[in-house]
Amino acid sequence: MAAVQWRSRGRNYDAELQRCRPEAALVEFGDYHPLKPIMVTDTKTRRGARKGSTSSSSSSSSSAPADPLSSMLDGTDPLSMFAAASATEAPAMTHSSSTGDLGRKRREKEEEAVGLDFEHWSSKRGEILARFTTTEKLSINLFMGSDRGKALSPGSSAVSEKVRTRLEELDDLEEGSQRELLNLSQQDYANRIEELNQSLKEAWASDQKVKALKIVIQCSKLLSDTSVIQFYPSKFVLITDILDTFGRLVYDRIWTMCSDPRPLPDGFTVEDVNDTAKETCLNWFFKIASIRELLPRLYVEAAILKCNRFLNKSGIQETLPRLTAMIRGIGDPLVAAYTRAYLCRVGMEVAPHLKDSLNRNFFDLLGTFRQISAESVQNQLVLQRVEVPEYLTLYSPAINWILQCIAYRAPEPLLTEMMERCKTLGNNALLLNSVMRAFRPEFVAARATDFISMIKECDESGFPKHLLFGSLGRSLACADPPESERLTILNEAWKVITKVRSPQDYVNCAEIWVEFTCRHFTKREVNTVLADIIKHMTPDRAFEDAYPQLQSVIRKILTYLHDFSVLFSMERFLPFLDMFQKDSVRVEVCKSIMEVFIRHQVELTRDPVILNAMLHICKTMHDSVNALTLEDEKRSLALLIIGFIRMVSFGRDFEQQLSFCVEARATFCNLEPVLVQLIHTVNQLAMETLRVMRGSHSRKTAAFVRACAAYSFITIPSLSSIFSRLSLYLLSGQVALANQCLSQSDAFLQAAVSVLPEVPRSISVEGKLRSSESFLLDFINNFLATLLVVPDHPEHGVLYLVRGLLNMVQDYTWEDNSDAKVRVYVSALPVLAAMSQETYLYSIPKVDSNETLYGGDPKFLSEINKLCETLIGQILDHLKALGRDEQNPRRQGALAFSLFGVLLAHGDLRNNKLSQLAVNLWNLSHKHGFCETRISVRTLEFIKHQAQQPDMAHLSDTVQRLALQSRT
């Protein structure tokens, strides 16, 4: 290929734009609209059609084309197709899997019988286990299996012998077939109970039903042990899990026996149960009836109470009162209370409509309150060193559950009746507490004043009043009392709360009532509450043990107070935040405040109260960052601070806005995303100044935008991300140029060029190393597009920025076997061609680009042409090098076609050498058959279309020499 003499073709951008615009065409809309659905009507066969014809025609009410989205669905939507597929697969299920699924669905339906608004026992389980703990050592009796009776051959013994053998097996448990484990920690005890639960399942799976029953009896006996009384509620939870498992296994076993060959319906009756299932069920009840001790017999029968459905229609209705009466034989009031709770729990699952039994259970429980003051109970408390208030709290889960069952969907008059019974018992605090927790908050809130009067009359020594006010506060947080009573309620409650001496008890109660205060009162009352909390929690640094409660106070305040000018104007809010001295907790609190601020602060703010407080909070978050902070945590903190910065606006006071950004830069210097946002904010500030001045700066505003440029120029070098620096240098240079700050713009662009050699060959993207070439090429293309409107510096020669960029590209260490450098050269040719035009494609108002500075000076055009020829020479040399390497025909063809496109669009092909070069590049790109035929055809069509233009007729000769070659 001979040396090329480059000459850019002249462009008339306005005329080209007009030619590219589509031709306007009149459209007769009528009823047609592109978004209107197509209406299709079926036309039935004409009356005169021949017999046997089944043809029909469809006529569309519109001539519009079919909707492409609807046609893709082919008349059906994917969800319907999935549903149909699952329906066709359903009959293929095996009988065992269908039985299991039916059993599961049956249990789910029965659980829903009490409604979704009922709080199930499972939701209380974790709370009880976490609340009732002990450091005392525990003991447990483990079952030792027996092999007696396994030698009997089936059919060789009489029925009576079989029954006697099983009764003897049950007696084994009471004759010493157990091993006692002592000195167990609470966790060890829980692990042992879980082992028993697994042993029960394994025994059942291996058809050792008697062994399974023995395990359940043994576990039930553990509930009579109150030697570590503080742990009793948690022990109840663990052991009743085993009872529930046993009851479910027995019920499912009998239900399965009835489900062959057809599964039982959900609403089955006794008549649907076969004789074998009935006999098996009756056998289980006989086994349980033979248990000698009252407590295990009660618990185990309650566990399989549901099985009465297989025997008798009214079996459950008859059994519940009997079991309720049997509980009266239990001497320990705590054990009796939890036994009643379990019976209520089972009763709510199997017969929630039988409220009479629940009520009788509760009234019997009221009668046991007199036993609490009995000498035996008091001696036990002394022996275990348990105070009466602590002992009474052990009853709370049981009484709360019983009352919840009674109060579920109960009418409002029942609450009145319960309140009267409380008064009859001398306002028993334990009972009153459970009543307030069990009934609907709306009912309690309506009688809040009455409850306060009853709380006042309660005995302080038995059950602390602050706990009662805590329960009342929970109800008032969910429902509103009468408006006229609210202030009185708050005053009466706080009189009691503020006298609580224990900081932990105080903050537990105060945290509840903060929500009531925020819901119904102003910042004055909230500020008073905060002051009282600070007063109680500051001595002896008590706040260090109450961070969860103090965090809850903050969350509740933020839930109701979204006006941050009001929030930060409260005198005690910031001092309240100062109590969070633990770094991790303080940062979490600050993050929660920032999240609410970003979510609810709709209007931009310049309020000094808000700004000072938020800067303090953001600085707290920023200062928590250290070398060990995770990147995700840094990103999270930066996003919150950025959200705050975006909400700050000083209106037309641009200098104050810039001062704020200067202060923020000093405050948040360790979080790079925040610095990036500040630079964007300052650039936006400069552009807003230009808009306000309508493109013509005064001396004052010109100095201001130069100050903005200086801010960015100083801040960008502190960024560690090389591509952040490059993009911000370019963006800030563009902003400076738009504001007619030419020297500042030059400084930014020169800085960008000087930084380019530092770009690494690979960068980390989302934790993975990727080549940086694609990012670098994108940046360079944007940079070149900007250089079109940047005027040359009078002291630095023609096209000094373009030359500097290309020299950097020449010296940069590119990847091996990479065409990136040559692709930059190809990208530079259109920019240089655009610079040689009399009128540029785009310009910046009030900035004289090179088109004005040089005015088409031949020397300037000659410099451009020389530079283009040099670049083309470099590209051609690279193409020759690729041609020598037989491994790279595809790369050579792609690069040749790319250069051909540039020559076609920007070169003057009237020049014979340039035209010949274009033909040679076309042939080279098609030489090995890697060029897309479709693209080649469209390119030829474009050239033919261009050749029809008056000033492009010379392309007709060129297109004759361009031949299509099929792929080999």
Side-chain angles (χ1 to χ4, degrees), residues 99-166:
T99 303
D101 289 343
L102 286 170
R104 176 176 53 79
K105 291 177 181 177
R106 167 180 49 77
R107 283 196 297 271
E108 289 175 355
K109 186 170 182 179
E110 288 166 354
E111 287 172 2
E112 291 175 2
V114 292
L116 297 175
D117 56 337
F118 183 77
E119 187 179 4
H120 288 276
W121 175 261
S122 57
S123 64
K124 300 177 180 296
R125 185 180 181 280
E127 179 189 351
I128 295 173
L129 290 174
R131 179 180 172 192
F132 297 98
T133 59
T134 183
T135 55
E136 300 287 333
K137 295 300 180 181
L138 304 163
S139 63
I140 189 173
N141 294 322
L142 277 184
F143 170 70
M144 304 295 290
S146 171
D147 294 329
R148 285 179 57 181
K150 288 186 180 178
L152 293 172
S153 59
S156 64
S157 60
V159 176
S160 59
E161 180 66 24
K162 187 176 180 182
V163 171
R164 187 169 69 252
T165 301
R166 290 189 174 178

XYZ file of all heavy atoms in Angstrom, residues 99-166:
534
model
N -51.228 -39.681 50.462
C -51.706 -39.777 51.851
C -50.945 -38.816 52.752
O -51.530 -38.134 53.594
C -51.538 -41.223 52.356
O -52.245 -42.098 51.492
C -52.056 -41.363 53.771
N -49.595 -38.739 52.537
C -48.799 -37.822 53.360
C -49.194 -36.382 53.133
O -49.330 -35.606 54.079
N -49.412 -36.013 51.858
C -49.805 -34.637 51.552
C -51.171 -34.313 52.137
O -51.394 -33.225 52.662
C -49.832 -34.412 50.041
C -48.434 -34.382 49.457
O -47.497 -34.218 50.266
O -48.279 -34.532 48.237
N -52.094 -35.272 52.041
C -53.431 -35.039 52.593
C -53.362 -34.859 54.093
O -54.059 -34.014 54.671
C -54.363 -36.198 52.225
C -54.842 -36.236 50.758
C -55.534 -37.546 50.471
C -55.761 -35.064 50.470
N -52.493 -35.690 54.739
C -52.352 -35.543 56.193
C -51.806 -34.182 56.568
O -52.269 -33.546 57.514
N -50.817 -33.716 55.783
C -50.252 -32.394 56.068
C -51.286 -31.295 55.850
O -51.430 -30.391 56.668
C -49.043 -32.162 55.161
C -48.413 -30.782 55.291
C -47.180 -30.662 54.434
N -47.440 -31.030 53.054
C -48.043 -30.223 52.176
N -48.462 -29.027 52.544
N -48.247 -30.612 50.927
N -52.023 -31.385 54.718
C -53.054 -30.372 54.448
C -54.145 -30.405 55.514
O -54.678 -29.363 55.899
C -53.661 -30.618 53.069
C -52.686 -30.337 51.919
C -53.305 -30.655 50.581
C -52.328 -30.391 49.444
N -52.909 -30.772 48.139
N -54.452 -31.621 55.990
C -55.487 -31.735 57.025
C -55.037 -31.026 58.299
O -55.796 -30.282 58.918
C -55.752 -33.214 57.309
C -56.575 -33.480 58.556
C -56.790 -34.961 58.773
N -55.568 -35.719 58.676
C -54.636 -35.769 59.634
N -54.799 -35.066 60.727
N -53.560 -36.516 59.477
N -53.768 -31.237 58.667
C -53.277 -30.586 59.886
C -53.268 -29.072 59.722
O -53.611 -28.327 60.640
C -51.873 -31.086 60.210
C -51.856 -32.481 60.827
C -50.528 -32.768 61.477
N -49.428 -32.769 60.528
C -49.029 -33.844 59.850
N -49.663 -34.992 60.012
N -48.023 -33.769 59.015
N -52.839 -28.604 58.522
C -52.828 -27.153 58.290
C -54.235 -26.583 58.384
O -54.453 -25.500 58.944
C -52.231 -26.863 56.911
C -50.732 -27.125 56.843
C -50.186 -26.942 55.447
O -51.013 -26.703 54.530
O -48.963 -27.059 55.266
N -55.213 -27.292 57.846
C -56.595 -26.794 57.890
C -57.102 -26.741 59.316
O -57.782 -25.805 59.726
C -57.486 -27.687 57.027
C -58.912 -27.166 56.897
C -59.690 -27.936 55.856
C -61.099 -27.368 55.707
N -61.866 -28.087 54.693
N -56.730 -27.775 60.117
C -57.196 -27.787 61.502
C -56.523 -26.681 62.308
O -57.116 -26.094 63.205
C -56.906 -29.160 62.116
C -57.835 -30.248 61.567
C -57.335 -31.645 61.922
O -56.232 -31.738 62.472
O -58.055 -32.607 61.635
N -55.241 -26.397 61.976
C -54.561 -25.314 62.689
C -55.204 -23.964 62.376
O -55.223 -23.059 63.201
C -53.086 -25.301 62.300
C -52.302 -26.460 62.912
C -50.884 -26.536 62.368
O -50.549 -25.655 61.559
O -50.155 -27.454 62.740
N -55.744 -23.845 61.151
C -56.367 -22.582 60.767
C -57.785 -22.447 61.301
O -58.443 -21.437 61.094
C -56.389 -22.463 59.236
C -54.996 -22.287 58.634
C -55.036 -22.293 57.131
O -56.146 -22.397 56.582
O -53.965 -22.185 56.502
N -58.264 -23.492 62.013
C -59.643 -23.444 62.490
C -59.850 -22.312 63.477
O -60.942 -21.785 63.617
C -60.009 -24.786 63.134
N -58.777 -21.922 64.177
C -58.916 -20.841 65.149
C -58.651 -19.476 64.517
O -58.756 -18.472 65.217
C -57.961 -21.066 66.342
C -58.388 -22.272 67.148
C -56.522 -21.223 65.866
N -58.292 -19.446 63.251
C -58.112 -18.159 62.576
C -56.671 -17.689 62.611
O -55.892 -18.019 63.514
N -56.337 -16.885 61.620
C -54.973 -16.375 61.511
C -54.663 -15.316 62.562
O -53.490 -15.003 62.799
C -54.756 -15.795 60.104
C -54.865 -16.807 58.954
C -54.750 -16.093 57.619
C -53.805 -17.890 59.063
N -55.703 -14.737 63.172
C -55.469 -13.706 64.179
C -55.137 -14.292 65.543
O -54.873 -13.546 66.494
C -56.702 -12.789 64.296
C -57.971 -13.572 64.606
O -58.013 -14.784 64.303
O -58.920 -12.975 65.135
N -55.135 -15.621 65.662
C -54.807 -16.262 66.937
C -53.298 -16.494 67.004
O -52.708 -17.056 66.084
C -55.554 -17.588 67.067
C -55.329 -18.276 68.394
C -55.985 -17.833 69.529
C -54.475 -19.358 68.502
C -55.791 -18.458 70.751
C -54.266 -19.994 69.712
C -54.934 -19.537 70.838
N -52.677 -16.053 68.082
C -51.230 -16.219 68.251
C -50.948 -17.619 68.783
O -51.255 -17.939 69.922
C -50.691 -15.162 69.216
C -49.179 -15.167 69.315
C -48.658 -14.097 70.255
O -49.488 -13.402 70.887
O -47.432 -13.965 70.378
N -50.351 -18.466 67.951
C -50.150 -19.860 68.313
C -49.039 -20.005 69.354
O -48.187 -19.129 69.531
C -49.814 -20.676 67.065
C -50.993 -20.873 66.158
N -51.907 -21.871 66.339
C -51.420 -20.167 65.080
C -52.839 -21.794 65.409
N -52.561 -20.758 64.623
N -49.062 -21.149 69.989
C -48.084 -21.431 71.043
C -46.657 -21.385 70.502
O -45.738 -20.961 71.203
C -48.388 -22.811 71.646
C -47.368 -23.251 72.647
C -46.335 -24.104 72.448
C -47.268 -22.817 74.013
N -45.605 -24.247 73.591
C -46.151 -23.464 74.576
C -48.016 -21.950 74.809
C -45.763 -23.282 75.895
C -47.627 -21.766 76.122
C -46.522 -22.418 76.655
N -46.460 -21.809 69.281
C -45.109 -21.854 68.713
C -44.443 -20.481 68.715
O -43.219 -20.381 68.821
C -45.154 -22.403 67.285
O -46.029 -21.625 66.478
N -45.231 -19.412 68.617
C -44.660 -18.062 68.618
C -44.196 -17.637 69.993
O -43.406 -16.702 70.123
C -45.682 -17.063 68.086
O -46.807 -16.994 68.945
N -44.674 -18.307 71.045
C -44.286 -17.957 72.416
C -43.128 -18.816 72.918
O -42.501 -18.501 73.924
C -45.485 -18.140 73.358
C -46.692 -17.284 72.991
C -47.856 -17.569 73.915
C -49.069 -16.722 73.559
N -48.828 -15.284 73.748
N -42.858 -19.899 72.222
C -41.889 -20.883 72.679
C -40.498 -20.269 72.890
O -39.884 -20.416 73.943
C -41.823 -22.018 71.656
C -40.952 -23.171 72.027
C -40.983 -24.227 70.923
N -40.161 -25.367 71.265
C -38.843 -25.400 71.127
N -38.228 -24.336 70.652
N -38.152 -26.476 71.470
N -40.003 -19.579 71.867
C -38.666 -18.997 71.952
C -38.537 -17.978 73.061
O -37.515 -17.926 73.765
N -39.562 -17.165 73.249
C -39.532 -16.134 74.295
C -39.434 -16.760 75.679
O -38.683 -16.292 76.541
C -40.794 -15.269 74.194
C -40.877 -14.183 75.256
C -42.233 -13.486 75.273
O -43.033 -13.729 74.364
O -42.468 -12.724 76.229
N -40.196 -17.829 75.912
C -40.170 -18.480 77.224
C -38.803 -19.100 77.482
O -38.235 -18.961 78.575
C -41.282 -19.554 77.298
C -42.659 -18.894 77.203
C -41.172 -20.353 78.588
C -43.808 -19.877 77.105
N -38.235 -19.786 76.473
C -36.927 -20.419 76.656
C -35.842 -19.381 76.924
O -34.907 -19.643 77.696
C -36.572 -21.234 75.407
C -37.397 -22.505 75.174
C -37.032 -23.128 73.838
C -37.179 -23.510 76.301
N -35.952 -18.214 76.311
C -34.940 -17.180 76.515
C -35.119 -16.467 77.854
O -34.140 -16.017 78.461
C -35.008 -16.171 75.370
N -36.342 -16.388 78.329
C -36.627 -15.606 79.541
C -36.377 -16.400 80.815
O -35.815 -15.875 81.775
C -38.082 -15.137 79.491
C -38.517 -14.329 80.706
C -39.971 -13.920 80.569
N -40.479 -13.302 81.779
C -41.753 -13.049 82.023
N -42.660 -13.357 81.084
N -42.151 -12.490 83.145
N -36.778 -17.663 80.852
C -36.692 -18.457 82.086
C -35.486 -19.386 81.998
O -35.566 -20.498 81.486
C -37.986 -19.240 82.297
C -39.187 -18.361 82.490
C -40.040 -18.076 81.430
C -39.454 -17.784 83.717
C -41.135 -17.252 81.595
C -40.557 -16.950 83.893
C -41.391 -16.681 82.835
N -34.369 -18.888 82.509
C -33.115 -19.638 82.479
C -32.602 -19.828 83.891
O -33.133 -19.252 84.845
C -32.069 -18.882 81.651
O -31.865 -17.580 82.238
C -32.524 -18.708 80.213
N -31.570 -20.630 84.008
C -30.997 -20.876 85.337
C -29.535 -21.258 85.173
O -29.106 -21.759 84.126
C -31.749 -22.005 86.062
O -31.204 -22.162 87.370
C -31.616 -23.330 85.302
N -28.777 -21.025 86.241
C -27.383 -21.482 86.296
C -27.252 -22.671 87.239
O -26.156 -23.204 87.423
C -26.475 -20.340 86.789
O -26.958 -19.856 88.055
C -26.469 -19.202 85.779
N -28.374 -23.066 87.879
C -28.358 -24.219 88.771
C -28.161 -25.503 87.961
O -28.461 -25.566 86.775
C -29.682 -24.304 89.539
C -29.987 -23.091 90.407
C -29.112 -23.032 91.653
O -28.684 -24.112 92.099
O -28.855 -21.932 92.152
N -27.661 -26.541 88.648
C -27.480 -27.838 88.017
C -28.800 -28.606 88.019
O -29.548 -28.585 89.004
C -26.399 -28.645 88.740
C -25.015 -28.017 88.644
C -24.571 -27.886 87.179
C -23.189 -27.270 87.072
N -22.766 -27.114 85.665
N -29.072 -29.293 86.916
C -30.338 -29.999 86.739
C -30.087 -31.500 86.682
O -28.972 -31.961 86.440
C -31.018 -29.540 85.442
C -31.260 -28.036 85.313
C -31.541 -27.661 83.875
C -32.429 -27.609 86.189
N -31.154 -32.272 86.915
C -31.056 -33.727 86.824
C -32.173 -34.246 85.934
O -33.212 -33.606 85.763
C -31.159 -34.355 88.215
O -32.429 -34.079 88.790
N -31.932 -35.437 85.365
C -32.920 -36.034 84.474
C -32.792 -37.550 84.548
O -31.696 -38.082 84.743
C -32.704 -35.541 83.019
C -33.862 -35.986 82.131
C -31.403 -36.035 82.448
C -33.796 -35.405 80.733
N -33.917 -38.255 84.436
C -33.929 -39.719 84.422
C -34.055 -40.188 82.978
O -35.039 -39.904 82.313
C -35.102 -40.260 85.243
C -34.951 -39.951 86.712
O -33.845 -40.004 87.248
N -36.046 -39.611 87.377
N -33.025 -40.900 82.503
C -33.046 -41.414 81.136
C -33.597 -42.819 81.106
O -33.273 -43.647 81.962
C -31.638 -41.406 80.544
C -31.158 -40.078 79.959
C -29.790 -40.266 79.339
C -32.133 -39.559 78.940
N -34.410 -43.133 80.117
C -35.044 -44.446 79.970
C -34.009 -45.478 79.533
O -33.205 -45.242 78.651
C -36.160 -44.354 78.931
C -36.717 -45.697 78.523
C -37.464 -46.433 79.412
C -36.483 -46.204 77.261
C -37.995 -47.654 79.033
C -36.994 -47.413 76.882
C -37.759 -48.156 77.778
N -34.013 -46.625 80.195
C -33.155 -47.747 79.827
C -34.037 -48.812 79.189
O -34.933 -49.357 79.841
C -32.455 -48.327 81.059
C -31.635 -47.287 81.835
S -30.256 -46.656 80.878
C -29.236 -48.111 80.852
N -33.841 -49.100 77.917
C -34.716 -50.010 77.185
C -34.716 -51.417 77.744
O -33.750 -51.883 78.353
N -35.813 -52.126 77.570
C -35.972 -53.495 78.048
C -36.340 -54.391 76.881
O -37.058 -53.996 75.980
C -37.068 -53.554 79.122
O -37.372 -54.887 79.455
N -35.833 -55.625 76.922
C -36.118 -56.578 75.847
C -37.187 -57.578 76.240
O -37.422 -58.551 75.540
C -34.842 -57.334 75.459
C -33.824 -56.404 74.829
O -34.264 -55.440 74.192
O -32.620 -56.659 74.988
N -37.811 -57.397 77.367
C -38.829 -58.340 77.806
C -39.990 -58.375 76.834
O -40.437 -57.355 76.346
C -39.348 -57.952 79.188
C -38.366 -58.286 80.318
C -38.928 -57.870 81.640
N -40.230 -58.501 81.880
C -40.954 -58.284 82.979
N -40.516 -57.488 83.906
N -42.112 -58.884 83.136
N -40.438 -59.560 76.588
C -41.608 -59.722 75.737
C -41.291 -59.857 74.277
O -42.165 -60.179 73.499
N -40.010 -59.636 73.867
C -39.706 -59.708 72.437
C -39.608 -61.148 71.949
O -39.651 -61.415 70.781
C -38.395 -58.966 72.145
C -38.527 -57.458 72.255
C -37.272 -56.775 71.829
C -37.446 -55.269 71.949
N -36.231 -54.542 71.589
N -39.468 -62.124 72.922
C -39.332 -63.513 72.517
C -40.665 -64.160 72.206
O -40.722 -65.263 71.705
C -38.615 -64.310 73.618
N -41.748 -63.493 72.527
C -43.068 -64.077 72.266
C -43.311 -64.176 70.778
O -43.108 -63.217 70.039
C -44.160 -63.222 72.916
C -44.167 -63.203 74.455
C -45.157 -62.172 74.928
C -44.498 -64.585 75.005
N -43.747 -65.323 70.354
C -44.058 -65.491 68.929
C -45.495 -65.092 68.686
O -46.377 -65.470 69.463
C -43.829 -66.940 68.512
O -44.639 -67.805 69.283
N -45.746 -64.354 67.636
C -47.109 -63.908 67.374
C -48.025 -65.084 67.098
O -47.685 -65.996 66.357
C -46.953 -63.015 66.136
C -45.661 -63.419 65.526
C -44.792 -63.909 66.618
N -49.144 -65.077 67.744
C -50.135 -66.119 67.533
C -50.012 -67.265 68.513
O -50.942 -68.072 68.647
N -48.861 -67.375 69.212
C -48.686 -68.490 70.133
C -49.206 -68.189 71.517
O -49.338 -69.085 72.341
C -47.203 -68.856 70.206
O -46.483 -67.785 70.759
N -49.454 -66.900 71.830
C -49.917 -66.529 73.172
C -51.337 -66.015 73.079
O -51.754 -65.486 72.069
C -48.995 -65.469 73.769
O -49.002 -64.330 72.966
N -52.028 -66.148 74.158
C -53.407 -65.664 74.224
C -53.408 -64.154 74.343
O -52.408 -63.540 74.680
C -54.127 -66.300 75.414
N -54.593 -63.562 74.097
C -54.720 -62.099 74.184
C -54.421 -61.627 75.591
O -53.755 -60.618 75.808
C -56.135 -61.666 73.742
C -56.298 -60.168 73.930
C -56.366 -62.045 72.283
N -54.916 -62.356 76.581
C -54.700 -61.938 77.972
C -53.222 -61.945 78.311
O -52.726 -61.063 79.028
C -55.463 -62.864 78.929
O -55.023 -64.206 78.756
N -52.471 -62.951 77.807
C -51.028 -63.006 78.051
C -50.326 -61.798 77.416
O -49.430 -61.206 77.998
C -50.471 -64.305 77.452
C -48.962 -64.477 77.644
C -48.594 -64.654 79.115
O -49.466 -65.083 79.897
O -47.438 -64.351 79.469
N -50.764 -61.425 76.225
C -50.181 -60.282 75.513
C -50.408 -58.977 76.278
O -49.508 -58.158 76.439
C -50.808 -60.184 74.115
C -50.196 -59.141 73.197
C -50.842 -59.217 71.827
C -50.242 -58.190 70.894
N -50.892 -58.230 69.573
N -51.650 -58.814 76.794
C -51.978 -57.604 77.556
C -51.154 -57.559 78.832
O -50.616 -56.517 79.229
C -53.486 -57.555 77.854
C -53.789 -56.422 78.818
C -54.265 -57.387 76.564
N -51.054 -58.736 79.518
C -50.305 -58.768 80.780
C -48.827 -58.426 80.547
O -48.198 -57.713 81.334
C -50.443 -60.146 81.428
C -49.833 -60.178 82.830
C -50.179 -61.441 83.597
N -49.514 -62.613 83.010
C -50.161 -63.560 82.324
N -51.472 -63.470 82.145
N -49.515 -64.597 81.820
N -48.280 -58.916 79.442
C -46.884 -58.640 79.126
C -46.660 -57.146 78.911
O -45.683 -56.563 79.397
C -46.472 -59.406 77.859
O -46.672 -60.798 78.082
C -44.997 -59.157 77.520
N -47.586 -56.516 78.219
C -47.434 -55.075 77.951
C -47.584 -54.260 79.237
O -46.908 -53.257 79.431
C -48.469 -54.623 76.911
C -48.143 -55.176 75.532
C -49.007 -54.575 74.457
N -48.566 -55.017 73.134
C -49.166 -54.682 72.016
N -50.232 -53.902 72.048
N -48.704 -55.120 70.851
